[in-house]
Amino acid sequence: EDKVVQSPLSLVVHEGDTVTLNCSYEVTNFRSLLWYKQEKKAPTFLFMLTSSGIEKKSGRLSSILDKKELFSILNITATQTGDSAIYLCAVGIMEYGNKLVFGAGTILRVKS
Amino acid sequence: NAGVTQTPKFRILKIGQSMTLQCAQDMNHNYMYWYRQDPGMGLKLIYYSVGAGITDKGEVPNGYNVSRSTTEDFPLRLELAAPSQTSVYFCASSYSDRQLYSNQPQHFGDGTRLSIL
């Protein structure tokens, strides 16, 4: 059974802190790993990673994939209250339908 | 730029009632998906479609039905609502020109919060 596990399940930090969110996976046919941010409504796309060791960056957010150890991390530096959200990790499966398997998410709360 | 539009945003149903959750996308995406999200459980795939006229079951299809008569629309139907179907439902879409590989992310609608009492 394909499985994606995120840790921690929840996290409370203060503005300005740096956080690291973890995502490990066990899937049969790996295609890609995606990170989404979910505030009140729709999950919004952050990053797609397909190759090991190549960091993707967008402002204060960055992510990297390790396909040998089967995990990814999402880093957020200089956190702001607007970073408070659920962060979802999903793994794309290389099979008919281009399906995603989601982790349970990490709830991040940034206090001012 | 509408993207993926879901209606209604909220609904309360009685046990045994039926309803249809609507999903429409204007991005000309060929792939569409329905998920449910329960607290602490992530998103679970209910049904998906790779194009008009083609639908397939996902991980948790029991109690639901779908149809895909056009590229734009992908409604989800609950025939006999049960309390276990209380959840937040998300529709998503993506584009792929290859059957087994996509380098495009899925884009999500804002969700429908459904309560069954």
Side-chain angles (χ1 to χ4, degrees), chain B residues 51-64:
Chain B
I54 306 169
T55 61
D56 287 280
K57 294 179 180 179
E59 188 181 356
V60 290
N62 291 344
Y64 307 94

Side-chain angles (χ1 to χ4, degrees), chain A residues 31 36 38 42 94 96-98, chain B residues 33 37 50 56 100 102 106 109:
Chain A
R31 166 170 53 85
Y36 285 86
Q38 184 180 21
M94 191 177 291
Y96 176 82
N98 288 323
Chain B
Y33 307 84
Q37 185 178 33
V50 302
D56 287 280
L100 294 181
S102 171
Q106 292 182 16

Side-chain angles (χ1 to χ4, degrees), chain B residues 58-74:
Chain B
E59 188 181 356
V60 290
N62 291 344
Y64 307 94
N65 275 301
V66 293
S67 60
R68 183 99 183 268
S69 56
T70 67
T71 300
E72 295 78 18
D73 300 297
F74 190 40

Side-chain angles (χ1 to χ4, degrees), chain B residues 7 9 22 25-26 38 40 49 62 66 101:
Chain B
T7 56
K9 290 186 177 11
Q22 302 292 344
Q25 53 90 11
D26 62 358
D38 301 303
S49 167
N62 291 344
V66 293
Y101 178 80

Side-chain angles (χ1 to χ4, degrees), chain A residues 4-78:
Chain A
V4 176
V5 178
Q6 292 186 244
S7 64
L9 292 180
S10 66
L11 190 56
V12 180
V13 300
H14 287 95
E15 272 192 314
D17 288 349
T18 293
V19 299
T20 298
L21 309 183
N22 304 294
C23 177
S24 63
Y25 61 91
E26 291 178 37
V27 300
T28 47
N29 290 303
F30 177 88
R31 166 170 53 85
S32 57
L33 188 141
L34 296 87
W35 285 96
Y36 285 86
K37 178 183 181 183
Q38 184 180 21
E39 296 176 87
K40 298 274 187 209
K41 297 181 179 178
T44 54
F45 172 70
L46 294 174
F47 299 112
M48 178 185 283
L49 303 146
T50 56
S51 301
S52 281
I54 298 174
E55 186 183 50
K56 296 242 177 161
K57 278 182 73 81
S58 176
R60 295 176 294 103
L61 278 67
S62 64
S63 183
I64 198 160
L65 173 67
D66 186 328
K67 288 169 75 173
K68 183 179 176 187
E69 300 297 329
L70 308 183
F71 78 91
S72 174
I73 60 171
L74 175 68
N75 278 322
I76 309 174
T77 59

Side-chain angles (χ1 to χ4, degrees), chain B residues 33-48:
Chain B
Y33 307 84
W34 273 106
Y35 294 91
R36 58 177 289 171
Q37 185 178 33
D38 301 303
M41 298 291 289
L43 278 77
K44 301 290 185 187
L45 183 64
I46 305 172
Y47 270 94
Y48 64 100

